Amino acid sequence: MLKLSNLFGDHAVLQRNRTIVVWGWCDPFAMVKGQLGAVSAASRAGGDGRFTLRFPALPAGGPHKLVVEVKETGETVVSSDLLIGEVWVASGQSNMEFCAGGLTSRIESIRKECSPSIPLRMFTVERNAQIAPPLDAGGAWQVHLPEQVDSWSAVGLFFGRKLHRELNVPVGVVVSSWGGTIAEAWTSREMLMENPDFAADVARYELEVGRPDFWERLSPEELAIPFRENLSINHRLEPLLPPLSERGVQEGWFAPDFDDSDWEVVQLPRSWQEIGIRFNGIIWFRREVEIPPDWAGRDLCLSIGAVDKHDVTWFDGVEAGRTGEGLETVHWNQPRNYRIPGERVHAGRCVIAVRNYSFLYDGGLIGPAEQMHLAPADGTGSALSLSGAWRYVVESNIGCMCDRISIMGTGNPNSYGMLFDNMIRPLIPMAMRGVIWYQGESNQQAPQRYRRLMEDLIADWRFRWGQGRFPFLQVILAGFRTPGSYQQEAEWPRIREAQALAAVSSGNLTASAIDLGDATDIHPHRKQEVGERLALAALEQAYSRPVVGSGPVFREMAIEGSAIRLYFDHCGAGLTAHGRELAGFYIADRFRKFHPASAVICENTVLVSSPEVPLPVAVRYAWADNPEEANLYNSAGLPASSFRTDVWEV
């Protein structure tokens, strides 16, 4: 009957210099005593059998043995090889979850650096998403061994390695993450009810999941397993989807001689939302290209970039390839590359047609532009760019499916409070130093809510852990999608802004990854820099080390005639322009129109101006999903992230 939480099993790392809280379960009201190294503790279990032992603080060291015994029966459990050091919680979505084994070009060198003599350990919390959450966190501590590190969070691994090198103490990282999840899922129900953006929705959700027919319509598979990814969504979505339209195929919209002159023109790459389409269904895209004479008879590679959800693609009237079927969502950001046999290639006019189907969320040919091209398959010769003007038409409008289904509930991690209850609450009140957090991509569709949401989440975790204002270090989102200089309607700079403002208001540093992104991959592989930048933030904020732990953070502005001067914190020994003249700044006139600006570093300030704006009112920097020009850094080589001086709606 006696059982300790999995957090205190063999090879655990416990927080140094703080009261060490250990808990578990036994018979109700039994007396329990424990011995951890040279210190002891005792307590009595409650009516539910849970007991809590509080051991006096210990300095870094080990290995120790933990022995817990039920006094009345003599039943005993023993955990061995425990270390005392620094413990951090690593949480968020897929970029925190991304495993070291996914760094295929580096994994061998990563394994070679592994050794059990390096006191770095990781506990990966098992995924769970149940309305009735577990009492204990699933998982086990792992030692820093080559055969185990593949499954470790890459960011957590590199963060822990740098902390250990700098502090020379054992380091434990408890990873609780889940790809594709929203911050609302990681926030407690009680805190969400205090937020007017979510309170009414949370109340409706709770009533929905309490209805008998909610449970009756779940399949045996959904009820039988502890969690599912997208199964719950698909199960509820499938009966609502109408039969797919075949009109475009039947009428030959892919044929070279089809008349598409009445179709709309759009510049691609672009998502459906960027076009102004707010529904799901099927959209066709067509574009003419001129095949050079020397390409005739040669195999070609047709690359149309990533297509959100499914596509069927035709080359000059013949199907070239297709990706996605049923309710698959895994292909939404995968580039499409189709080989065209030489016997189908002739010189002159050729038509490329794409039938794009999206049944949930957004859709579109989303690029990036440099991956949209037609070229000889053997790699010789110049490619024909396929970015730019295409014609499009809507074949099928099935409405906004998100508005027609309740996608929350048991098994769906993106339910209100679900991951807090299942994957954070079981960790509390484990003694630890702080939190590293990499999340935000899944909240991009409502960036205006994200600052308050993150401020609430940070306050929520700090209150419930009861360990004061511990560091909560966010990763500022990396660049993604087509590189650009200024995008008025972009969502990611607003998410970055919300992250930075939440950090300032809660007294935290951040680690910007804005320069570490990949235009074609939402999961960029430069995880070592991310982990080490988080470690720098921790060294400054948590350990008061004399390091620069953050990139430049905008503080205030002052209008000086026809220029605006920007003031920054976290400049180190001074601001610098990385690699070339300072760029990425845009300045607004009194009509709120932004113009490209010149920017000059003056010690720890930046002076921004434009001859087109004699009376400036505001400045924006790195205001794009993937800002290609942004190059403001501090002396420590850490970048500034997206910011603006205005508070306008867009």
PDB file of all heavy atoms in Angstrom, residues 526-550:
ATOM      1  N   ARG A 526      17.865  24.698 -33.845  1.00  0.00           N
ATOM      2  CA  ARG A 526      18.924  25.349 -33.061  1.00  0.00           C
ATOM      3  C   ARG A 526      18.535  25.389 -31.587  1.00  0.00           C
ATOM      4  O   ARG A 526      18.462  26.431 -30.944  1.00  0.00           O
ATOM      5  CB  ARG A 526      19.213  26.737 -33.624  1.00  0.00           C
ATOM      6  CG  ARG A 526      19.744  26.688 -35.058  1.00  0.00           C
ATOM      7  CD  ARG A 526      19.957  28.054 -35.643  1.00  0.00           C
ATOM      8  NE  ARG A 526      21.010  28.801 -34.953  1.00  0.00           N
ATOM      9  CZ  ARG A 526      21.379  30.039 -35.286  1.00  0.00           C
ATOM     10  NH1 ARG A 526      20.769  30.652 -36.300  1.00  0.00           N
ATOM     11  NH2 ARG A 526      22.331  30.663 -34.618  1.00  0.00           N
ATOM     12  N   LYS A 527      18.310  24.196 -31.049  1.00  0.00           N
ATOM     13  CA  LYS A 527      17.845  24.084 -29.676  1.00  0.00           C
ATOM     14  C   LYS A 527      18.963  24.337 -28.658  1.00  0.00           C
ATOM     15  O   LYS A 527      18.682  24.708 -27.511  1.00  0.00           O
ATOM     16  CB  LYS A 527      17.237  22.693 -29.452  1.00  0.00           C
ATOM     17  CG  LYS A 527      15.957  22.437 -30.253  1.00  0.00           C
ATOM     18  CD  LYS A 527      14.833  23.336 -29.798  1.00  0.00           C
ATOM     19  CE  LYS A 527      13.482  22.939 -30.374  1.00  0.00           C
ATOM     20  NZ  LYS A 527      13.235  23.465 -31.707  1.00  0.00           N
ATOM     21  N   GLN A 528      20.207  24.121 -29.043  1.00  0.00           N
ATOM     22  CA  GLN A 528      21.290  24.373 -28.095  1.00  0.00           C
ATOM     23  C   GLN A 528      21.351  25.844 -27.721  1.00  0.00           C
ATOM     24  O   GLN A 528      21.460  26.187 -26.537  1.00  0.00           O
ATOM     25  CB  GLN A 528      22.637  23.924 -28.661  1.00  0.00           C
ATOM     26  CG  GLN A 528      23.795  24.167 -27.678  1.00  0.00           C
ATOM     27  CD  GLN A 528      25.070  23.455 -28.068  1.00  0.00           C
ATOM     28  OE1 GLN A 528      25.096  22.655 -29.003  1.00  0.00           O
ATOM     29  NE2 GLN A 528      26.139  23.736 -27.350  1.00  0.00           N
ATOM     30  N   GLU A 529      21.247  26.735 -28.728  1.00  0.00           N
ATOM     31  CA  GLU A 529      21.264  28.159 -28.420  1.00  0.00           C
ATOM     32  C   GLU A 529      20.083  28.549 -27.538  1.00  0.00           C
ATOM     33  O   GLU A 529      20.214  29.356 -26.619  1.00  0.00           O
ATOM     34  CB  GLU A 529      21.256  28.984 -29.700  1.00  0.00           C
ATOM     35  CG  GLU A 529      22.527  28.873 -30.517  1.00  0.00           C
ATOM     36  CD  GLU A 529      22.377  27.888 -31.659  1.00  0.00           C
ATOM     37  OE1 GLU A 529      21.754  26.816 -31.449  1.00  0.00           O
ATOM     38  OE2 GLU A 529      22.880  28.184 -32.763  1.00  0.00           O
ATOM     39  N   VAL A 530      18.906  27.962 -27.800  1.00  0.00           N
ATOM     40  CA  VAL A 530      17.731  28.272 -26.985  1.00  0.00           C
ATOM     41  C   VAL A 530      17.975  27.857 -25.533  1.00  0.00           C
ATOM     42  O   VAL A 530      17.759  28.645 -24.594  1.00  0.00           O
ATOM     43  CB  VAL A 530      16.480  27.572 -27.534  1.00  0.00           C
ATOM     44  CG1 VAL A 530      15.293  27.781 -26.595  1.00  0.00           C
ATOM     45  CG2 VAL A 530      16.139  28.094 -28.920  1.00  0.00           C
ATOM     46  N   GLY A 531      18.423  26.616 -25.338  1.00  0.00           N
ATOM     47  CA  GLY A 531      18.666  26.138 -23.980  1.00  0.00           C
ATOM     48  C   GLY A 531      19.721  26.955 -23.261  1.00  0.00           C
ATOM     49  O   GLY A 531      19.580  27.271 -22.066  1.00  0.00           O
ATOM     50  N   GLU A 532      20.771  27.318 -23.966  1.00  0.00           N
ATOM     51  CA  GLU A 532      21.851  28.069 -23.317  1.00  0.00           C
ATOM     52  C   GLU A 532      21.449  29.512 -23.044  1.00  0.00           C
ATOM     53  O   GLU A 532      21.893  30.111 -22.052  1.00  0.00           O
ATOM     54  CB  GLU A 532      23.109  27.987 -24.170  1.00  0.00           C
ATOM     55  CG  GLU A 532      23.684  26.565 -24.196  1.00  0.00           C
ATOM     56  CD  GLU A 532      25.006  26.463 -24.927  1.00  0.00           C
ATOM     57  OE1 GLU A 532      25.372  27.437 -25.641  1.00  0.00           O
ATOM     58  OE2 GLU A 532      25.663  25.418 -24.799  1.00  0.00           O
ATOM     59  N   ARG A 533      20.601  30.093 -23.890  1.00  0.00           N
ATOM     60  CA  ARG A 533      20.101  31.440 -23.587  1.00  0.00           C
ATOM     61  C   ARG A 533      19.182  31.412 -22.369  1.00  0.00           C
ATOM     62  O   ARG A 533      19.202  32.337 -21.547  1.00  0.00           O
ATOM     63  CB  ARG A 533      19.378  32.020 -24.813  1.00  0.00           C
ATOM     64  CG  ARG A 533      20.322  32.419 -25.936  1.00  0.00           C
ATOM     65  CD  ARG A 533      19.571  32.950 -27.150  1.00  0.00           C
ATOM     66  NE  ARG A 533      20.503  33.274 -28.235  1.00  0.00           N
ATOM     67  CZ  ARG A 533      20.143  33.746 -29.424  1.00  0.00           C
ATOM     68  NH1 ARG A 533      18.846  33.947 -29.702  1.00  0.00           N
ATOM     69  NH2 ARG A 533      21.048  34.016 -30.347  1.00  0.00           N
ATOM     70  N   LEU A 534      18.372  30.376 -22.249  1.00  0.00           N
ATOM     71  CA  LEU A 534      17.569  30.226 -21.033  1.00  0.00           C
ATOM     72  C   LEU A 534      18.460  30.087 -19.808  1.00  0.00           C
ATOM     73  O   LEU A 534      18.167  30.638 -18.740  1.00  0.00           O
ATOM     74  CB  LEU A 534      16.653  29.011 -21.159  1.00  0.00           C
ATOM     75  CG  LEU A 534      15.412  29.165 -22.034  1.00  0.00           C
ATOM     76  CD1 LEU A 534      14.796  27.807 -22.341  1.00  0.00           C
ATOM     77  CD2 LEU A 534      14.382  30.078 -21.376  1.00  0.00           C
ATOM     78  N   ALA A 535      19.549  29.353 -19.952  1.00  0.00           N
ATOM     79  CA  ALA A 535      20.472  29.191 -18.829  1.00  0.00           C
ATOM     80  C   ALA A 535      21.108  30.520 -18.443  1.00  0.00           C
ATOM     81  O   ALA A 535      21.305  30.801 -17.250  1.00  0.00           O
ATOM     82  CB  ALA A 535      21.550  28.162 -19.182  1.00  0.00           C
ATOM     83  N   LEU A 536      21.442  31.363 -19.424  1.00  0.00           N
ATOM     84  CA  LEU A 536      21.982  32.694 -19.109  1.00  0.00           C
ATOM     85  C   LEU A 536      20.960  33.511 -18.323  1.00  0.00           C
ATOM     86  O   LEU A 536      21.311  34.197 -17.348  1.00  0.00           O
ATOM     87  CB  LEU A 536      22.359  33.422 -20.395  1.00  0.00           C
ATOM     88  CG  LEU A 536      23.638  32.972 -21.099  1.00  0.00           C
ATOM     89  CD1 LEU A 536      23.778  33.678 -22.443  1.00  0.00           C
ATOM     90  CD2 LEU A 536      24.855  33.247 -20.220  1.00  0.00           C
ATOM     91  N   ALA A 537      19.689  33.443 -18.752  1.00  0.00           N
ATOM     92  CA  ALA A 537      18.649  34.152 -18.014  1.00  0.00           C
ATOM     93  C   ALA A 537      18.545  33.632 -16.585  1.00  0.00           C
ATOM     94  O   ALA A 537      18.392  34.405 -15.627  1.00  0.00           O
ATOM     95  CB  ALA A 537      17.310  34.009 -18.732  1.00  0.00           C
ATOM     96  N   ALA A 538      18.635  32.322 -16.426  1.00  0.00           N
ATOM     97  CA  ALA A 538      18.582  31.737 -15.082  1.00  0.00           C
ATOM     98  C   ALA A 538      19.776  32.156 -14.242  1.00  0.00           C
ATOM     99  O   ALA A 538      19.643  32.459 -13.050  1.00  0.00           O
ATOM    100  CB  ALA A 538      18.515  30.217 -15.189  1.00  0.00           C
ATOM    101  N   LEU A 539      20.956  32.169 -14.851  1.00  0.00           N
ATOM    102  CA  LEU A 539      22.160  32.542 -14.097  1.00  0.00           C
ATOM    103  C   LEU A 539      22.057  33.964 -13.569  1.00  0.00           C
ATOM    104  O   LEU A 539      22.481  34.250 -12.446  1.00  0.00           O
ATOM    105  CB  LEU A 539      23.395  32.388 -14.979  1.00  0.00           C
ATOM    106  CG  LEU A 539      23.795  30.944 -15.290  1.00  0.00           C
ATOM    107  CD1 LEU A 539      24.829  30.899 -16.405  1.00  0.00           C
ATOM    108  CD2 LEU A 539      24.339  30.256 -14.033  1.00  0.00           C
ATOM    109  N   GLU A 540      21.486  34.872 -14.367  1.00  0.00           N
ATOM    110  CA  GLU A 540      21.333  36.240 -13.880  1.00  0.00           C
ATOM    111  C   GLU A 540      20.200  36.360 -12.870  1.00  0.00           C
ATOM    112  O   GLU A 540      20.382  36.913 -11.782  1.00  0.00           O
ATOM    113  CB  GLU A 540      21.070  37.203 -15.045  1.00  0.00           C
ATOM    114  CG  GLU A 540      20.856  38.635 -14.556  1.00  0.00           C
ATOM    115  CD  GLU A 540      20.596  39.633 -15.669  1.00  0.00           C
ATOM    116  OE1 GLU A 540      20.896  39.337 -16.842  1.00  0.00           O
ATOM    117  OE2 GLU A 540      20.079  40.733 -15.369  1.00  0.00           O
ATOM    118  N   GLN A 541      19.005  35.830 -13.224  1.00  0.00           N
ATOM    119  CA  GLN A 541      17.839  36.078 -12.376  1.00  0.00           C
ATOM    120  C   GLN A 541      17.816  35.211 -11.130  1.00  0.00           C
ATOM    121  O   GLN A 541      17.506  35.697 -10.041  1.00  0.00           O
ATOM    122  CB  GLN A 541      16.562  35.859 -13.184  1.00  0.00           C
ATOM    123  CG  GLN A 541      15.287  36.179 -12.399  1.00  0.00           C
ATOM    124  CD  GLN A 541      14.050  36.141 -13.267  1.00  0.00           C
ATOM    125  OE1 GLN A 541      14.110  36.306 -14.480  1.00  0.00           O
ATOM    126  NE2 GLN A 541      12.896  35.918 -12.641  1.00  0.00           N
ATOM    127  N   ALA A 542      18.112  33.938 -11.279  1.00  0.00           N
ATOM    128  CA  ALA A 542      17.985  33.023 -10.138  1.00  0.00           C
ATOM    129  C   ALA A 542      19.244  32.960  -9.281  1.00  0.00           C
ATOM    130  O   ALA A 542      19.164  32.694  -8.080  1.00  0.00           O
ATOM    131  CB  ALA A 542      17.644  31.618 -10.644  1.00  0.00           C
ATOM    132  N   TYR A 543      20.413  33.179  -9.902  1.00  0.00           N
ATOM    133  CA  TYR A 543      21.668  32.944  -9.183  1.00  0.00           C
ATOM    134  C   TYR A 543      22.537  34.186  -9.068  1.00  0.00           C
ATOM    135  O   TYR A 543      23.637  34.113  -8.515  1.00  0.00           O
ATOM    136  CB  TYR A 543      22.454  31.826  -9.883  1.00  0.00           C
ATOM    137  CG  TYR A 543      21.651  30.555 -10.031  1.00  0.00           C
ATOM    138  CD1 TYR A 543      21.137  30.172 -11.268  1.00  0.00           C
ATOM    139  CD2 TYR A 543      21.372  29.747  -8.927  1.00  0.00           C
ATOM    140  CE1 TYR A 543      20.387  29.015 -11.405  1.00  0.00           C
ATOM    141  CE2 TYR A 543      20.623  28.589  -9.063  1.00  0.00           C
ATOM    142  CZ  TYR A 543      20.128  28.234 -10.307  1.00  0.00           C
ATOM    143  OH  TYR A 543      19.381  27.087 -10.428  1.00  0.00           O
ATOM    144  N   SER A 544      22.047  35.324  -9.573  1.00  0.00           N
ATOM    145  CA  SER A 544      22.751  36.611  -9.450  1.00  0.00           C
ATOM    146  C   SER A 544      24.185  36.540  -9.952  1.00  0.00           C
ATOM    147  O   SER A 544      25.080  37.199  -9.393  1.00  0.00           O
ATOM    148  CB  SER A 544      22.724  37.096  -7.987  1.00  0.00           C
ATOM    149  OG  SER A 544      21.396  37.235  -7.540  1.00  0.00           O
ATOM    150  N   ARG A 545      24.403  35.765 -10.996  1.00  0.00           N
ATOM    151  CA  ARG A 545      25.731  35.704 -11.594  1.00  0.00           C
ATOM    152  C   ARG A 545      25.969  36.952 -12.454  1.00  0.00           C
ATOM    153  O   ARG A 545      25.026  37.505 -13.033  1.00  0.00           O
ATOM    154  CB  ARG A 545      25.883  34.445 -12.445  1.00  0.00           C
ATOM    155  CG  ARG A 545      25.904  33.158 -11.631  1.00  0.00           C
ATOM    156  CD  ARG A 545      27.116  33.106 -10.699  1.00  0.00           C
ATOM    157  NE  ARG A 545      27.169  31.903  -9.900  1.00  0.00           N
ATOM    158  CZ  ARG A 545      27.852  30.806 -10.236  1.00  0.00           C
ATOM    159  NH1 ARG A 545      28.534  30.773 -11.372  1.00  0.00           N
ATOM    160  NH2 ARG A 545      27.859  29.761  -9.433  1.00  0.00           N
ATOM    161  N   PRO A 546      27.224  37.390 -12.590  1.00  0.00           N
ATOM    162  CA  PRO A 546      27.531  38.600 -13.366  1.00  0.00           C
ATOM    163  C   PRO A 546      27.527  38.319 -14.875  1.00  0.00           C
ATOM    164  O   PRO A 546      28.554  38.403 -15.550  1.00  0.00           O
ATOM    165  CB  PRO A 546      28.919  38.989 -12.865  1.00  0.00           C
ATOM    166  CG  PRO A 546      29.551  37.693 -12.463  1.00  0.00           C
ATOM    167  CD  PRO A 546      28.426  36.849 -11.902  1.00  0.00           C
ATOM    168  N   VAL A 547      26.381  37.953 -15.402  1.00  0.00           N
ATOM    169  CA  VAL A 547      26.235  37.682 -16.827  1.00  0.00           C
ATOM    170  C   VAL A 547      25.113  38.549 -17.374  1.00  0.00           C
ATOM    171  O   VAL A 547      24.275  39.067 -16.624  1.00  0.00           O
ATOM    172  CB  VAL A 547      25.918  36.191 -17.094  1.00  0.00           C
ATOM    173  CG1 VAL A 547      27.020  35.292 -16.565  1.00  0.00           C
ATOM    174  CG2 VAL A 547      24.573  35.804 -16.473  1.00  0.00           C
ATOM    175  N   VAL A 548      25.081  38.704 -18.670  1.00  0.00           N
ATOM    176  CA  VAL A 548      23.965  39.354 -19.335  1.00  0.00           C
ATOM    177  C   VAL A 548      22.969  38.260 -19.712  1.00  0.00           C
ATOM    178  O   VAL A 548      23.266  37.408 -20.538  1.00  0.00           O
ATOM    179  CB  VAL A 548      24.423  40.126 -20.589  1.00  0.00           C
ATOM    180  CG1 VAL A 548      23.220  40.778 -21.273  1.00  0.00           C
ATOM    181  CG2 VAL A 548      25.455  41.171 -20.211  1.00  0.00           C
ATOM    182  N   GLY A 549      21.809  38.278 -19.086  1.00  0.00           N
ATOM    183  CA  GLY A 549      20.874  37.167 -19.227  1.00  0.00           C
ATOM    184  C   GLY A 549      19.753  37.393 -20.207  1.00  0.00           C
ATOM    185  O   GLY A 549      18.894  36.524 -20.370  1.00  0.00           O
ATOM    186  N   SER A 550      19.738  38.535 -20.883  1.00  0.00           N
ATOM    187  CA  SER A 550      18.637  38.835 -21.788  1.00  0.00           C
ATOM    188  C   SER A 550      19.146  39.710 -22.911  1.00  0.00           C
ATOM    189  O   SER A 550      20.128  40.450 -22.760  1.00  0.00           O
ATOM    190  CB  SER A 550      17.520  39.574 -21.030  1.00  0.00           C
ATOM    191  OG  SER A 550      16.565  40.131 -21.915  1.00  0.00           O
TER     192      SER A 550
END
